[in-house]
Amino acid sequence: MMTRLDIPALVLKNQDLGEGIFLLAVCAPHIASIAQPGQFCMLNAGSPGTTDPLLRRPLSIHDADGETVLFLYRVVGKGTRLLAAKRPGEEIQILGPLGHGFAGDNERKSLLVGGGLGMAPLLFLAKRRAKERTIIMLGARTSGELVCADAYRPHADELIISTEDGGLGRPGLVTAPLAERIESAARDASALQVLACGPWPMAKAVAHLCQRHEIACQVSLEARMACGTGLCLGCAVPRSGGGYLHVCTDGPVIDAALVDWERTP
Ligand SMILES: Cc1cc2nc3c(=O)[nH]c(=O)nc-3n(C[C@H](O)[C@H](O)[C@H](O)COP(=O)(O)OP(=O)(O)OC[C@H]3O[C@@H](n4cnc5c(N)ncnc54)[C@H](O)[C@@H]3O)c2cc1C
Ligand code: FES
């Protein structure tokens, strides 16, 4: 049985990649040994022994290798700003791994689609997939936001990049090359699966596209989280057919068909 742990993890590296994006590596052998692509951890960004900030911050597992767990994150507010100030040798309290990761089979062609920092969990996922059956599509507003794109290249048959300002790769949204691939392969829909992570509008567009062509689709969802473990019920998203799903325990990776996209943000 998988055991999630609340542990002090030693910071090994916290690299400023530019554009407010950081790559954090921590030594957390147990989490690294059981983590699955798509799972996340709750990180305590405050100093040890303090309760400010009170709430931990959820971050996807970017990669797990040997004893090391990596996170790729953007500085947006107080918690991530404190996280960015952590130096090698300091400790961070981490709860994880949490939630459900990506499922799906290795026999199908996988289209991995990441929007912005939604690319974070896709590296770990790509490493666990058969390279020749994997196409990675990464989209961002600008080329500067695609700080880690080269790390994905060795793990896919093809890497397709789009930027909204046209600074790198195809100009426009990542959903455009996705739509082309899906349409050209639509007659063989059962041989395809889409595994996506990104902001809500992207997730919604990907879900609709897949639904139209009857292609299996899993999306990693983001919701404001207080506990990350199913206790606070703060991360509810509407379930198709009524009721709610909780992103921390039902997800964050959820079959797109289970979400009521008309009632989402
Ligand atoms: C499952 C999951 C995985 C995530 N993975 C990544 C990742 O790999 N890389 C990355 O850069 N970001 C990721 N995020 C978003 C990240 O959690 C937020 O950017 C971060 O919590 C912001 O904290 P803050 O204190 O800097 O910002 P503030 O806006 O000051 O945060 C205030 C509160 O809102 C919560 N919050 C703010 N934005 C979000 C958000 N988008 N999602 C959930 N809670 C939020 C914070 O946890 C905090 O409790 C993920 C979110 C979820 C739910
Ligand atoms: S974050 Fe508390 S129930 Fe999901």
Side-chain angles (χ1 to χ4, degrees):
M1 195 182 88
M2 190 187 83
T3 336
R4 64 170 188 246
L5 282 187
D6 190 5
I7 51 137
L10 192 68
V11 174
L12 304 172
K13 180 170 84 168
N14 197 11
Q15 191 183 355
D16 184 348
L17 302 175
E19 306 279 333
I21 299 170
F22 286 72
L23 182 64
L24 171 69
V26 299
C27 180
H30 184 72
I31 295 178
S33 68
I34 61 172
Q36 296 298 320
Q39 287 188 300
F40 69 103
C41 294
M42 295 293 282
L43 284 75
N44 186 344
S47 307
T50 65
T51 51
D52 180 31
L54 185 63
L55 301 176
R56 296 173 186 228
R57 280 17 182 189
L59 291 181
S60 304
I61 295 173
H62 177 53
D63 201 0
D65 195 4
E67 300 193 330
T68 306
V69 180
L70 286 114
F71 302 96
L72 183 69
Y73 66 98
R74 185 197 302 281
V75 174
V76 295
K78 183 174 182 177
T80 44
R81 211 165 33 244
L82 285 169
L83 211 52
K86 299 281 179 194
R87 295 288 163 257
E90 287 185 58
E91 276 183 356
I92 305 183
Q93 199 71 23
I94 298 186
L95 176 63
L98 299 171
H100 293 283
F102 290 96
D105 63 66
N106 227 340
E107 296 307 309
R108 295 187 194 206
K109 187 97 174 172
S110 298
L111 303 179
L112 274 48
V113 188
L117 259 275
M119 77 167 77
L122 300 185
L123 181 67
F124 190 20
L125 177 63
K127 285 183 166 183
R128 294 276 176 99
R129 299 262 138 204
K131 181 187 165 185
E132 67 281 3
R133 292 185 186 278
T134 303
I135 297 177
I136 301 180
M137 300 177 168
L138 302 179
R141 271 172 300 166
T142 65
S143 52
E145 291 180 12
L146 286 162
V147 282
C148 280
D150 285 341
Y152 293 70
R153 204 177 297 278
H155 307 291
D157 193 26
E158 228 181 310
L159 174 68
I160 298 169
I161 285 174
S162 321
T163 50
E164 286 176 48
D165 72 353
L168 195 68
R170 284 181 54 149
L173 297 172
V174 69
T175 40
L178 177 66
E180 283 168 19
R181 287 304 169 114
I182 285 183
E183 271 152 29
S184 67
R187 262 183 297 159
D188 207 8
S190 62
L192 271 190
Q193 61 187 342
V194 172
L195 309 170
C197 184
W200 276 95
M202 185 205 103
K204 203 172 192 167
V206 170
H208 281 148
L209 202 55
C210 291
Q211 195 175 26
R212 235 182 1 259
H213 292 92
E214 296 180 356
I215 285 170
C217 176
Q218 292 167 46
V219 283
S220 181
L221 298 177
E222 269 197 23
R224 298 250 161 181
M225 287 189 180
C227 71
T229 57
L231 297 173
C232 71
L233 308 183
C235 61
V237 299
R239 179 198 282 272
S240 62
Y244 290 89
L245 296 158
H246 291 97
V247 174
C248 66
T249 46
D250 294 313
V253 181
I254 290 178
D255 182 335
L258 295 180
V259 178
D260 181 348
W261 295 98
E262 303 322 312
R263 291 197 291 144
T264 60

